[in-house]
Amino acid sequence: MKILIKTIALSSLLTCSAAAMADQSDYKLMVIETATAPQPLEQSFNNCALNVKSKNYAQAEEICTQAIALLKDADGPKFKVRQLTSFALSNRGVARLKANNDTAALADLYEASKLSNSTMVSHNLSRAKEDLSL
């Protein structure tokens, strides 16, 4: 049953290679579309976003960290690896913000914005600074 729920949840979230889940006023979580990355990476990356969405912030942070570690050893085009690393850092930053670990969250979001010029990552950083009154 748990796998079915997870499959349904992920299926509804995966619409493109780096899909965002949320409206403009909330944080954006990025996921990898099915079969566009090696299975362990895809699983870690998407489970991170799913755990943030499910408010399992400590588990989300741990899983995002695993995804970041997998990306360090990834053999893909450098641009894509940097972009996915940026997205994983952004997701982990959101998890850390939601867990009230603001300093670590901001560090992740700033690093993510340095790695990729993504509107989704920029949105998360701007939103975090606004929420933290910076």
Side-chain angles (χ1 to χ4, degrees), residues 8-115:
I8 291 169
L10 283 176
S11 295
S12 67
L13 301 176
L14 300 173
T15 57
C16 69
S17 293
M21 333 169 342
D23 62 33
Q24 289 296 353
S25 64
D26 204 357
Y27 292 99
K28 309 255 185 245
L29 298 171
M30 281 65 77
V31 294
I32 298 174
E33 187 175 61
T34 303
T36 61
Q39 182 66 23
L41 175 58
E42 179 188 320
Q43 198 168 31
S44 291
F45 201 101
N46 293 343
N47 283 341
C48 168
L50 186 61
N51 275 283
V52 173
K53 193 75 171 162
S54 301
K55 300 181 181 181
N56 300 322
Y57 304 127
Q59 188 172 4
E61 181 178 349
E62 183 180 320
I63 294 169
C64 289
T65 301
Q66 290 172 358
I68 293 163
L70 286 170
L71 283 160
K72 285 182 181 176
D73 296 328
D75 286 335
K78 295 290 184 199
F79 169 79
K80 193 65 172 173
V81 171
R82 287 174 59 89
Q83 183 181 47
L84 290 175
T85 302
S86 172
F87 292 162
L89 283 163
S90 181
N91 285 352
R92 185 174 72 179
V94 172
R96 287 175 165 177
L97 276 169
K98 298 290 188 174
N100 297 315
N101 187 353
D102 301 340
T103 303
L106 285 172
D108 280 348
L109 292 169
Y110 275 111
E111 186 176 351
S113 70
K114 285 182 185 177
L115 288 175

Side-chain angles (χ1 to χ4, degrees), residues 1-9:
M1 182 67 171
K2 184 177 178 183
I3 292 173
L4 176 61
I5 291 170
K6 186 185 261 185
T7 301
I8 291 169

